[in-house]
Amino acid sequence: MVAPCPTSMMVRTKKTKAMGVPTIDLSMERSKLSELVVKACEEYGFFKVVNHSVQKEVIARLEEEGKEFFSKTSSEKRQAGPANPFGYGCRNIGPNGDMGHLEYLLLHTNPLSISERSKTIANDPTKFSCAVNDYIEAVKELTCEVLDMVEEGLWVQDKFSLSKLIRDVHSDSLLRINQYPPVSLKGTKNWDTSKLEAHQLQSQNNNNNNNNIGFGEHSDPQILTIMRSNNVDGLQISTHDGLWIPVPPDPNEFFVMVGDALQVLTNGRFVSVRHRVLTNTTKARMSMMYFAAPPLNWWITPLPKMVTPHNPSLYKPFTWAQYKQAAYSLRLGDARLDLFKIQ
Ligand code: GA4
C-alpha cells in the first residue's frame, strides 16, 4: 500500500504539515499494487519502491565504477566530455547557462554507444560497460513492471503499450550518474574551483538555508525516472501545492518519478514531479538516474482511454524528438509542456 513513512522519515514543512514519501512494496498482491501505483502517481508523481528485484551486486558494481571515475583528475575526467550530447559534465547543465554544484556522466543506454563511450571513461572499458549494461537491464525491467502497473491501474486496454516503448531497441532512454561534492570545497581534490565563488554566492542568495543548489528545480522530460542514491541526503520533491519535501536517502531502494511525457500520456491525470537537489552535507552524494524514454520518432499523445468527449486532450500531438528539442531550447526549470498545451 501507499504507506506513509515511519515517523523518523516524516518531515514538517514550513506550513507545519506532516508529510511522508509514499512507499510501495512490490511484493504485494498485483491488483492492489496497480491501484496504489496510480494513487501515488496522482498524488505526488513520486514514490519509493521496496522489495524490488534489482540485485544489490548490480547496484554496487555501478556505484564502484562511478566512484572510480569521479576520483580521477579533472583533466582525465574531461577526456570523457563534454556532456553535450553525452559524456562528462562539470557544473554546466544543458546548453542554456544552467549551473549546478555537481559533476556527472550522461550516457545513452544503447549498448553500442556505451561500449564506445567506455573507452574514454574507464581504464577497464569492458568492466565499465558490463556494469553499466547490467544496471540498465535491471532498472529497465523495474521501469517496465511499474509502467505495466500504471496501465493496469488506469484500466488501459493494451497494458503493455508503455513498457513496449521502453523495451524498443530504438528507445531514447538515458543513464546519468551525478556526483555532488561536499559543500565545504576548500581543498577539495579533483574539483575545478574556478568560477566557484560567484556561483556559490548566487546559490546562497537563492536559498535562505545557506544550502547550495546541487541541481536546480525541474521536472524530467521523459516518461519515468528511476533514481537510486548513496546514503547522502539532498533530494527534495515539490508537492502539487508547492511545498518542498526532503526525501531521506535509501541506498537499497529506488525512487520513481513521473516525467513530462507520462503527464501527457495520462492527459494530465498524473503531473510530472518537480524536484531539486541541495548540497548541505559534508559527504559526497552520488545518484544514478535511468530516464525511460520512447524512440525519437514516437508521437506523444494521451492514451485513448484518457480522452473522452468530456475530457478532451489537453496537449497538441508531438514527437519525442520535438519535445527534446523544445526542452533543450529552454532553461532547466522552465514549464516546457506549456508550449504544447491546447489553449
Ligand atoms: C533533466 C533530466 C535529465 O537529467 C536530462 C537533463 C538535460 C541535461 O542535463 O542535459 C536537460 C534537463 C534534463 C531538462 C531541460 C534541458 C535538458 C538540461 C536542460 C536545460 C538529461 C534530460 O533529459 O532533461
Side-chain angles (χ1 to χ4, degrees), residues 68 108 111-112 124 133 137 139 148 152 160 177 340:
E68 203 174 312
H108 197 279
L112 283 177
D124 185 342
N133 288 329
E137 280 312 306
V139 288
D148 293 348
E152 212 169 286
F160 304 118
I177 310 179
F340 300 91

Side-chain angles (χ1 to χ4, degrees), residues 83 85 92-96 98 104 106 174 176 178 215 218-222 225 275 289 291 320 324 327-333 336:
N92 293 312
I93 300 172
N96 301 314
D98 288 289
Y104 60 92
L106 184 57
L174 310 177
R176 179 174 199 137
N178 286 344
F215 208 112
H218 69 288
S219 61
D220 293 341
Q222 291 81 2
T225 301
H275 54 285
M289 273 75 50
F291 301 105
W320 172 241
K324 267 188 94 171
Y328 277 93
S329 71
L330 298 173
R331 298 294 296 263
L332 179 64
R336 52 193 99 88

